[in-house]
């Protein structure tokens, strides 16, 4: 029971934490582009956009830092077995992230927020791009740590039973990390694009801040069009390919494939039935999974039956539904941004109230898609903490009992409810104030 509470607590705290950096990583790109247009292009609207969105960025940054620190402590309190085994390798990536990327990001964010009247234009421009670089480097090192758990490289297990790093370069350039990073960053730009466009849509529907609203909407749709395609192809396609090659049990669970099939179908809808080891009420496209995976319609795709049951993900329905939610929402995002792009090109987007409402109401869904993607990645890796090397059951702290774990889990539920309400209040207040210097 202790292991279940430990896993629930970490899943909850990391999912809550990731609500914030997924926006800051994508928004950092917007800030750099706004600053460039404001200083190089001398665009006053870009300057207003920068001042407005840099404060939204700062609020997200603070909440991301506060909630991220919690997980560093959980490695010691709830997961001491894992920390002992993998601390030397995973810890290197986390230390590099904190020492270089985080301080780069936070230092230049201070200049971006408070240096407007104190430093020259050149340093202001540099600060925006350094915030972008620091934010994206931070994402790279964190994903590098997770990628080592998905695809361990550059290590040796010593007589002490500890995974010692043997090559820093292997850790940094883990092929799994590069693919996962590209897919994740494209998804973060999808989130920020919907948020920026939705705030513009909200102002237009409310009949206020029209000039800035149109600017937000245009930039959000343009980057949204690009990122919604990139998150599917090539980054999503490459991510799927490496899962089929490196973690076939996760891939089979994602697709609800229990038996090995020649010419495997791509499942659109269906419910996993663990008793019969099949899908109920499936709707599928024949042979398409084989083609997408191996570029041959008649290719064999291994089902779960091909692997020892002890290596199957311990919650196959969760992996299956999370994956299909992510893919389904990703397809919807392309359709929304494509429709918005067509109306933007023809000059009718600002008058299309049904699409403005659609963009506004879509804001939660990139967050849901990103969370579903991480659930697929992490729940699909089970029963391993480090794939094929270290099982989750061996990673928990032996001195923490079920009562301790449940107590802290309930505490985090209450604390994060308060933090969530505070975040919504601060963001709502900032949006209600509108862009600086822009008459309502």
């Amino acid at each position: 029971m202790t292991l279940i509470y430990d896993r629930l607590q970490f899943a909850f705290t990391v999912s809550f934490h990731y609500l914030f950096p997924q926006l800051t990583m994508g928004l950092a790109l917007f800030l750099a582009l706004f600053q460039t247009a404001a200083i190089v292009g001398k665009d006053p609207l870009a300057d207003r956009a920068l001042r407005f969105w840099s404060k939204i960025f700062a609020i997200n940054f603070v909440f991301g830092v506060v909630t991220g620190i919690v997980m560093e402590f959980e490695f010691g309190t709830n997961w001491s077995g894992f920390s002992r085994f993998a601390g030397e390798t995973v810890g290197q990536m986390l230390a590099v992230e904190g020492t270089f990327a985080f301080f780069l990001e936070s230092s230049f964010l201070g200049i971006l927020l408070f240096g407007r009247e104190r430093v020259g234009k050149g340093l202001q421009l540099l600060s925006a791009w350094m915030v972008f670089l620091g934010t994206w480097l931070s994402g790279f090192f964190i994903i590098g740590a997770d990628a080592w758990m998905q695809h361990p490289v550059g290590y040796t297990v010593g007589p002490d039973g500890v995974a010692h790093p043997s090559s820093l370069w292997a850790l940094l350039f883990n092929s799994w990390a590069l693919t996962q990073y590209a897919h994740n960053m494209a998804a973060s730009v999808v989130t920020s694009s919907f948020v920026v466009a939705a705030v513009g849509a909200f102002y237009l529907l409310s009949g206020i801040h029209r000039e800035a609203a149109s600017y937000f909407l245009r930039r959000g749709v343009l980057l949204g069009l690009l990122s919604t395609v990139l998150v599917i192809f090539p980054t999503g396609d490459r991510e799927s390919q490496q899962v089929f090659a490196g973690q076939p049990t996760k891939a089979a669970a994602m697709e609800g494939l229990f038996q090995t099939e020649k010419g495997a179908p791509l499942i659109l809808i269906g419910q996993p039935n663990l008793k019969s080891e099949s899908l109920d009420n499936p709707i599928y496209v024949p042979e398409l999974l084989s083609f997408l995976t191996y570029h041959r319609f008649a290719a064999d795709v291994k089902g779960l039956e091909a692997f020892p049951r002890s290596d199957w993900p311990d919650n196959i329905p969760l992996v299956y539904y999370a994956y299909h939610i992510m893919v389904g929402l990703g397809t919807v995002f392309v359709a929304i941004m494509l429709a918005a792009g067509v109306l933007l090109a023809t000059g009718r987007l600002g008058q299309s109230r049904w699409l403005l409402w659609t963009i506004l109401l879509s804001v939660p869904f990139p967050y849901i898609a990103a969370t579903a993607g991480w659930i697929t990645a992490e729940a699909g890796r089970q029963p391993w903490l480090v794939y094929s090397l270290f099982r989750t059951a061996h990673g928990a702290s032996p001195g923490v009992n079920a009562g301790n774990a449940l107590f802290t889990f309930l505490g985090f539920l209450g604390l994060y409810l308060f933090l969530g309400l505070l975040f919504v209040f601060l963001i709502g207040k900032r949006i209600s104030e509108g862009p600086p210097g822009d008459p309502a």
Side-chain angles (χ1 to χ4, degrees):
M1 203 62 193
T2 306
L3 184 62
I4 293 175
Y5 290 140
D6 284 337
R7 290 180 63 187
L8 282 174
Q9 178 174 310
F10 196 85
F12 172 71
T13 51
V14 74
S15 298
F16 188 87
H17 163 71
Y18 193 65
L19 295 175
F20 307 108
Q22 70 171 296
L23 179 61
T24 55
M25 288 188 292
L27 204 51
L29 177 60
F30 276 91
L31 295 185
L33 295 175
F34 289 154
Q35 185 70 289
T36 303
I39 292 178
V40 178
K42 302 186 184 307
D43 183 348
L45 265 178
D47 186 57
R48 291 176 187 168
L50 173 73
R51 292 162 65 189
F52 176 80
W53 285 105
S54 60
K55 292 180 180 176
I56 301 284
F57 179 97
I59 295 171
N60 272 269
F61 176 80
V62 169
F63 278 77
V65 171
V66 169
T67 55
I69 291 172
V70 170
M71 289 174 296
E72 303 276 354
F73 288 105
E74 284 178 327
F75 285 132
T77 55
N78 297 51
W79 297 100
S80 63
F82 168 70
S83 297
R84 179 181 179 277
F85 173 74
E88 291 186 20
T89 47
V90 172
Q92 286 208 23
M93 302 298 281
L94 299 180
V96 170
E97 187 272 338
T99 306
F100 297 105
F102 174 73
F103 283 110
L104 176 68
E105 178 187 8
S106 54
S107 301
F108 280 96
L109 179 60
I111 297 175
L112 187 67
L113 290 173
F114 305 112
R116 185 179 181 82
E117 308 299 332
R118 297 176 175 84
V119 302
K121 298 290 185 186
L123 187 51
Q124 289 180 41
L125 181 60
L126 177 67
S127 67
W129 282 102
M130 287 299 103
V131 167
F132 166 73
L133 179 63
T135 305
W136 281 48
L137 272 177
S138 180
F140 177 77
F141 291 125
I142 296 296
I143 284 182
D146 180 76
W148 187 82
M149 297 164 66
Q150 304 281 354
H151 179 67
V153 295
Y155 72 95
T156 54
V157 177
D160 53 0
V162 172
H164 300 282
S166 59
S167 169
L168 178 60
W169 295 113
L171 290 176
L172 289 175
F173 296 102
N174 183 345
S175 60
W176 193 285
L178 299 177
T179 302
Q180 188 177 353
Y181 177 70
H183 185 54
N184 187 78
M185 301 317 283
S188 73
V189 178
V190 170
T191 300
S192 61
S193 298
F194 269 93
V195 170
V196 171
V199 172
F202 170 70
Y203 287 150
L204 284 177
L205 288 167
S206 304
I208 57 176
H209 309 303
R210 288 185 173 278
E211 196 176 26
S214 297
Y215 188 85
F216 296 167
L217 190 61
R218 281 199 305 274
R219 270 58 186 178
V221 169
L222 289 174
L223 272 183
L225 256 178
L226 178 64
S227 58
T228 52
V229 173
L230 288 176
V231 82
I232 295 175
F233 186 86
T235 67
D237 177 64
R238 289 291 305 157
E239 177 75 1
S240 176
Q241 297 273 345
Q242 79 172 2
V243 169
F244 270 94
Q247 297 183 357
T249 51
K250 177 195 290 184
M254 286 160 46
E255 298 292 348
L257 194 65
F258 289 90
Q259 283 78 41
T260 299
E261 293 192 35
K262 187 182 185 67
L266 182 71
I267 303 297
L268 303 178
I269 298 175
Q271 303 90 49
N273 186 328
L274 299 182
K275 286 186 178 178
S276 62
E277 297 187 356
S278 63
L279 284 178
D280 292 342
N281 312 307
I283 298 176
Y284 56 86
V285 181
E287 301 183 343
L288 188 56
L289 179 60
S290 288
F291 179 77
L292 291 175
T293 306
Y294 299 111
H295 302 148
R296 290 184 293 111
F297 286 108
D300 285 337
V301 180
K302 287 184 178 178
L304 286 164
E305 66 166 2
F307 307 96
R309 190 173 285 267
S310 60
D311 290 347
W312 291 15
D314 51 15
N315 196 330
I316 292 169
L318 176 65
V319 177
Y320 170 85
Y321 287 123
Y323 174 70
H324 281 77
I325 287 171
M326 177 191 68
V327 171
L329 287 176
T331 307
V332 172
F333 297 157
V334 173
I336 292 173
M337 284 300 174
L338 191 58
V342 170
L343 292 181
L344 179 66
T346 56
R348 294 177 293 157
L349 180 57
Q351 295 75 46
S352 179
R353 293 184 67 84
W354 70 269
L355 191 50
L356 293 178
W357 273 109
T358 301
I359 292 172
L360 175 59
L361 297 176
S362 297
V363 164
F365 294 103
Y367 289 94
I368 294 172
T371 303
W374 277 107
I375 289 173
T376 305
E378 303 308 308
R381 190 191 60 223
Q382 302 302 321
W384 304 97
L385 264 179
V386 182
Y387 192 74
S388 290
L389 193 62
F390 188 81
R391 288 187 178 266
T392 303
H394 300 151
S397 300
V400 176
N401 61 46
N404 299 144
L406 180 59
F407 176 76
T408 52
F409 178 42
L410 293 174
F412 279 118
L413 286 174
L415 177 62
Y416 282 15
L417 175 63
F418 169 75
L419 285 178
L421 293 174
L422 179 61
F423 175 79
V424 170
F425 169 76
L426 292 174
I427 290 293
K429 183 172 184 294
R430 188 71 201 93
I431 291 175
S432 68
E433 292 172 353
D438 195 23

